[in-house]
């Protein structure tokens, strides 16, 4: 079975500071991993995805994530936070197996606050 | 433009009434999904469909029903049996199980309020 844990339901950073949102996964097969962003009252937008190619994945809006198999992690980072980055972020892993095939397994989400 | 549309954006209904939420996609995706989102609870899967005329229950299917008569459409009915239907509902689609990553693409959501 697969699962995702996002450490920290709320993260607060100052504008211009480093953004680090943590995601750990559990998977019995090589994982496919995703980060999504959700702005208030909107749907989810794909930021980036890991599909077993390069371990450092670059996404939209200056975000990137590094797949670390030894740590079962896929943390999301951005060197310098902007006010427009304030949103909720979800990490997800592709499901495999009889009960999860075709699904995405989502973490609980992390709300990013950016202070001026 | 290819994408997923959900209508309406906001929906108000009286307690005890059934209501149907629309979801349409023109991405030619095989799979479609319905999620419910409540504050602090992330996304919970209601129903999903991997192919036309077939669908499966997700984690919280009680009180909901769906149909998949066309590839482009996957309407969700919230029935009077759903005890707490007020929530934000998200529809998504993906290429299907054969796709490598099978990432999902989301619609803008429908906020349902039951009075």
């Amino acid at each position: 079975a697969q699962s995702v844990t996002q450490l920290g339901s709320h993260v607060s950073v100052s504008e211009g500071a480093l953004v680090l949102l943590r995601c750990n996964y559990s998977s019995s097969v090589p994982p496919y991993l995703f980060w999504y962003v959700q702005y208030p009252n909107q749907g989810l937008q794909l930021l980036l995805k890991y599909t077993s190619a390069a371990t450092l994945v670059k996404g939209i809006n200056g975000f990137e994530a590094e797949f670390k198999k030894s740590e079962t992690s896929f943390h999301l980072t951005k060197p310098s936070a902007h006010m427009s980055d304030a949103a909720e972020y979800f990490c997800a892993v592709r499901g495999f197996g009889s009960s999860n095939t075709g699904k995405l397994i989502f973490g609980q989400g992390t709300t990013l606050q950016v202070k001026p | 433009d290819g994408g997923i549309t959900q209508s309406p954006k906001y929906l108000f209904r009286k307690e005890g009434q059934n209501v149907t939420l629309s979801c349409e996609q023109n991405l030619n995706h095989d799979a479609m999904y319905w999620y419910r989102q409540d504050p602090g609870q992330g996304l919970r899967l209601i129903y999903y469909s991997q192919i036309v005329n077939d669908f499966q229950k997700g984690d919280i299917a009680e009180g909901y029903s769906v149909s998949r008569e066309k590839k482009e459409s996957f309407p969700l009915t919230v029935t009077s049996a759903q005890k707490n239907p007020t929530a934000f509902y998200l529809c998504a689609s993906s290429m299907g199980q054969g796709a490598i990553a099978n990432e999902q693409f989301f619609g803008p959501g429908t906020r349902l309020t039951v009075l």
Side-chain angles (χ1 to χ4, degrees):
Chain A
Q2 294 78 40
S3 66
V4 171
T5 301
Q6 291 184 239
L7 299 175
S9 58
H10 288 84
V11 171
S12 182
V13 301
S14 298
E15 191 174 19
L18 172 72
V19 175
L20 171 60
L21 304 183
R22 300 178 186 273
C23 173
N24 288 88
Y25 69 91
S26 172
S27 179
S28 56
V29 298
Y32 296 122
L33 295 157
F34 310 85
W35 275 101
Y36 284 86
V37 61
Q38 184 183 30
Y39 300 101
N41 291 311
Q42 296 186 28
L44 276 67
Q45 179 183 8
L46 183 67
L47 274 177
L48 49 81
K49 63 182 179 183
Y50 168 74
T51 58
S52 75
T55 56
L56 182 62
V57 181
K58 295 187 182 299
I60 62 173
N61 302 338
F63 284 94
E64 61 183 36
E66 186 172 9
F67 173 72
K68 292 187 177 180
K69 183 178 179 180
S70 61
E71 298 177 7
T72 61
S73 69
F74 191 55
H75 301 332
L76 182 71
T77 60
K78 182 174 180 177
S80 176
H82 192 273
M83 296 297 291
S84 61
D85 294 326
E88 189 160 18
Y89 293 80
F90 292 93
C91 182
V93 62
R94 178 179 174 174
F96 286 95
S98 58
S99 61
N100 286 332
T101 296
K103 298 179 185 178
L104 287 185
I105 313 302
F106 285 90
Q108 288 296 96
T110 297
T111 299
L112 176 65
Q113 179 187 23
V114 182
K115 298 177 291 185
Chain B
D1 283 340
I4 303 175
T5 57
Q6 292 186 243
S7 61
K9 179 68 174 175
Y10 298 95
L11 189 55
F12 297 89
R13 280 295 181 269
K14 292 183 179 179
E15 193 171 342
Q17 289 182 331
N18 292 356
V19 60
T20 297
L21 281 59
S22 169
C23 178
E24 304 277 333
Q25 55 99 359
N26 61 5
L27 299 168
N28 199 32
H29 284 171
D30 286 323
M32 297 187 74
Y33 311 81
W34 273 106
Y35 293 92
R36 171 179 172 142
Q37 191 174 27
D38 297 279
Q41 295 197 42
L43 281 75
R44 292 185 288 171
L45 183 64
I46 304 173
Y47 269 97
Y48 63 106
S49 168
Q50 302 284 12
I51 197 168
V52 175
N53 292 322
D54 188 38
F55 49 83
Q56 290 80 38
K57 293 181 179 180
D59 302 319
I60 56 165
E62 185 176 352
Y64 299 97
S65 65
V66 294
S67 63
R68 187 84 189 277
E69 298 176 359
K70 299 187 297 182
K71 188 175 185 178
E72 314 83 67
S73 179
F74 192 41
L76 173 74
T77 296
V78 184
T79 75
S80 58
Q82 169 50 235
K83 298 304 180 187
N84 185 21
T86 295
F88 190 53
Y89 291 87
L90 287 162
C91 179
S93 70
S94 70
M95 293 180 65
Q97 297 181 46
I100 294 175
N102 201 30
E103 64 264 38
Q104 294 179 14
F105 297 83
F106 284 79
T110 292
R111 186 165 297 279
L112 172 64
T113 302
V114 175
L115 306 172

